[in-house]
Amino acid sequence: MQWKRRHCCTNMAGILFLLSFVGVCLILGQHSFLAGKKSQENDVHPRFSKLEVNHSMAKQNTWREETLPTAQPKSEANHSSSAEDGLKIFLGSNGSLSEEFRDKAEPYNYIINEEEKCLEQYPFLVLLIAVQPHHAEARNAIRQTWGNESVAAGLGFVRLFILGVKGGEQRPDSPLQRSLQAESQMYHDIIQQEYTDSYYNLTIKTLMGMHWVSKYCSGASYVMKTDSDMFVNTEYLIQKLLDPNVPPRKKYFTGYLMRGYSPNRNKHSKWYMSPELYPSNRYPTFCSGTGYVFSGDMARLIYKASLSIRRLHLEDVYVGLCLAKLRIEPVPPPNEFLFNHWRVSYSSCKYSHLITSHQFLPTELIRHWQHLQSNKHSACINPPKEKDKVRRLRQRKLL
Ligand SMILES: *[C@@H]1O[C@H](CO)[C@@H](O)[C@H](O)[C@H]1NC(C)=O
Ligand SMILES: *[C@@H]1O[C@H](CO)[C@@H](O)[C@H](O)[C@H]1NC(C)=O
Ligand SMILES: *[C@@H]1O[C@H](CO)[C@@H](O)[C@H](O)[C@H]1NC(C)=O
Ligand SMILES: *[C@@H]1O[C@H](CO)[C@@H](O)[C@H](O)[C@H]1NC(C)=O
Ligand SMILES: *[C@@H]1O[C@H](CO)[C@@H](O)[C@H](O)[C@H]1NC(C)=O
């Protein structure tokens, strides 16, 4: 019995050790946070297929990471040159599409605006947070956490929720519109334009943010566009990436770089892009819409470029097209674990060294933020405990 017990425990220890090893490999493999280096080339975003990937295999509907089998690369030269021609035609380098579009590109009317946000001082950072009109809980969670002005007290920090009008709620006296007005009176952090707030109108939402910055806050040093289900470490963003102690950069654009992606041609996908709308088989490099950061001067440039580019509903691809037209390349962040378009498993160590993580419910956001605030300084001193590793494996359904 004694022996059996010890034997059992030795085995357990062995298994635990092996499992922790597997766990560490998985974590390094997945987020490559501490040591490993993840090649972005192997990282397939569910919304898109890489050029080498057989398009008909690319039918994903979730944000979860998935790996697609890699097919034979096609003949590079032929392929990319036709892709570039397609891109040129799309961007109207020879003037074809652009003229046709110009007339329809007027901005929508502002229903709620904050025209005076930047009158006193040009802020160091403007946060443009895409949110649906009825998601007041998400806005409140962000106000209490990463959107709280006190993370950048004195520097100038403007938080703006950008939204359209919920379908069927156009009337100013609708209950939702009235509660938005009240919320706006209280926090002065909402801007709203008169377009239907829907997934397919996200590009309009982003352009509204660009328009606002270029019209009312053109001297802001930096702007970040992000979403309401994100965790954003604004303190790390400001202090480490942007650094208020050095002169602000110009024509700067960074985020989670998506390179070499091609349109999803699967009609059943949420991310379907028809060849009629976008004929090229390649997207230019763009940054994941979950969170990208740019210098204040870019807002006007992007907005202006957009006036001659047909609007596509994938807002991040669209902004990438504007950058391609401007011939401004998004730059990779100083390390590739800063911006994440998926959810990084929480640890105070990881979260005090990243900028974005995706898929947060308001309650989770508050819980993790509070934990991080009290643990950020001692963050990486204590290595994760064995039982944490086991728990992580369990969460990954490996146990
Ligand atoms: C792509 O995959 C589908 C189904 O797996 C297959 O029928 C088709 O032949 C493939 N096409 C190419 C070009 O490999
Ligand atoms: C490009 O590929 C097409 C078929 O995919 C082929 O007909 C054409 O000759 C190729 N062009 C060059 C320049 O290789
Ligand atoms: C632009 O280029 C495309 C493809 O080369 C051509 O079909 C179209 O006629 C051109 N348009 C103009 C206005 O030159
Ligand atoms: C923002 O942070 C400050 C300082 O930590 C705190 O006093 C304030 O209540 C916070 N604001 C909100 C809306 O939670
Ligand atoms: C986008 O907004 C415009 C203006 O309100 C509306 O006409 C259009 O139907 C909306 N598109 C979608 C797909 O919701």
Side-chain angles (χ1 to χ4, degrees):
M1 200 56 199
Q2 195 75 75
W3 176 85
K4 235 183 166 173
R5 222 184 140 85
R6 199 164 343 118
H7 183 70
C8 129
C9 295
T10 324
N11 268 351
M12 271 303 275
I15 288 168
L16 274 180
F17 176 79
L18 255 175
L19 284 174
S20 347
F21 181 72
V22 171
V24 167
C25 291
L26 268 174
I27 288 153
L28 289 183
Q30 197 151 29
H31 304 308
S32 316
F33 188 76
L34 296 169
K37 195 169 151 53
K38 175 164 159 179
S39 156
Q40 297 214 340
E41 303 312 316
N42 293 330
D43 174 33
V44 177
H45 192 284
R47 287 194 292 168
F48 311 101
S49 44
K50 295 283 262 189
L51 280 179
E52 313 86 77
V53 171
N54 179 342
H55 292 209
S56 61
M57 290 172 172
K59 47 161 183 272
Q60 302 80 32
N61 295 309
T62 72
W63 283 98
R64 300 265 168 235
E65 289 167 273
E66 279 181 55
T67 355
L68 297 176
T70 312
Q72 293 301 312
K74 296 180 192 165
S75 148
E76 264 307 318
N78 195 345
H79 198 65
S80 56
S81 75
S82 74
E84 253 155 50
D85 289 349
L87 183 62
K88 258 190 217 149
I89 294 170
F90 180 80
L91 290 177
S93 306
N94 67 357
S96 47
L97 272 173
S98 49
E99 297 309 324
E100 166 210 340
F101 183 74
R102 196 174 290 277
D103 301 339
K104 303 170 203 154
E106 288 304 309
Y108 290 88
N109 293 328
Y110 284 94
I111 303 172
I112 302 180
N113 200 356
E114 289 295 333
E115 300 181 10
E116 300 181 354
K117 272 273 168 189
C118 300
L119 279 191
E120 248 172 57
Q121 174 197 15
Y122 277 132
F124 183 68
L125 180 65
V126 177
L127 283 181
L128 298 172
I129 308 155
V131 64
Q132 294 182 54
H134 60 289
H135 281 173
E137 197 193 349
R139 289 191 289 275
N140 279 330
I142 292 168
R143 289 180 184 119
Q144 290 169 47
T145 57
W146 52 267
N148 185 332
E149 282 98 340
S150 71
V151 299
L155 274 178
F157 178 89
V158 166
R159 170 192 67 231
L160 282 178
F161 294 104
I162 50 180
L163 38 103
V165 177
K166 192 171 152 70
E169 300 266 355
Q170 254 74 6
R171 292 195 351 262
D173 62 345
S174 76
L176 178 59
Q177 222 20 66
R178 278 202 308 223
S179 78
L180 275 172
Q181 292 283 2
E183 203 180 318
S184 160
Q185 288 290 307
M186 184 168 319
Y187 299 106
H188 292 284
D189 61 359
I190 290 176
I191 57 174
Q192 184 187 33
Q193 273 182 354
E194 204 168 18
Y195 59 84
T196 307
D197 197 294
S198 68
Y199 175 76
Y200 283 92
N201 271 344
L202 276 182
T203 297
I204 297 181
K205 189 173 274 198
T206 292
L207 290 176
M208 156 192 181
M210 301 291 176
H211 178 262
W212 189 90
V213 173
S214 49
K215 183 154 184 200
Y216 301 106
C217 205
S218 58
S221 304
Y222 294 102
V223 182
M224 175 181 203
K225 185 260 144 193
T226 185
D227 291 339
S228 61
D229 60 347
M230 295 295 293
F231 180 101
V232 182
N233 188 336
T234 30
E235 189 183 339
Y236 199 73
L237 165 68
I238 291 169
Q239 300 302 337
K240 289 290 162 32
L241 180 68
L242 301 179
D243 193 352
N245 299 312
V246 302
R249 279 157 276 205
K250 294 284 171 200
K251 296 197 175 173
Y252 172 74
F253 197 103
T254 191
Y256 186 92
L257 255 55
M258 314 279 285
R259 245 193 249 276
Y261 284 87
S262 53
N264 189 324
R265 302 293 196 204
N266 176 350
K267 283 190 178 151
H268 305 293
S269 165
K270 188 179 176 187
W271 297 291
Y272 172 66
M273 178 63 73
S274 79
E276 290 73 38
L277 263 184
Y278 188 79
S280 170
N281 58 6
R282 218 201 85 207
Y283 286 138
T285 302
F286 62 99
C287 289
S288 162
T290 51
Y292 47 80
V293 176
F294 48 96
S295 51
D297 57 338
M298 291 300 300
R300 191 184 59 86
L301 293 174
I302 291 170
Y303 189 77
K304 246 182 99 186
S306 80
L307 297 181
S308 61
I309 305 173
R310 178 199 280 166
R311 299 221 170 139
L312 301 177
H313 67 282
L314 300 172
E315 67 92 16
D316 46 10
V317 168
Y318 187 79
V319 170
L321 286 161
C322 295
L323 295 178
K325 177 130 193 167
L326 293 165
R327 297 180 191 283
I328 294 172
E329 274 275 309
V331 297
N335 89 57
E336 54 188 293
F337 321 115
L338 290 182
F339 292 91
N340 303 283
H341 62 211
W342 61 84
R343 177 158 173 161
V344 176
S345 64
Y346 178 81
S347 85
S348 52
C349 170
K350 279 189 267 180
Y351 273 58
S352 45
H353 295 92
L354 57 68
I355 293 172
T356 63
S357 181
H358 192 197
Q359 282 179 326
F360 274 82
L361 295 172
T363 47
E364 294 175 309
L365 189 56
I366 293 173
R367 184 155 40 88
H368 289 358
W369 181 263
Q370 283 170 349
H371 186 268
L372 185 63
Q373 296 320 296
S374 38
N375 292 279
K376 59 187 171 189
H377 297 303
S378 57
C380 290
I381 295 170
N382 301 318
K385 294 193 195 84
E386 200 78 344
K387 69 173 197 295
D388 294 337
K389 287 178 193 161
V390 173
R391 192 167 54 217
R392 272 203 298 270
L393 289 170
R394 214 168 258 149
Q395 279 167 354
R396 285 170 198 284
K397 302 208 166 59
L398 291 169
L399 279 184

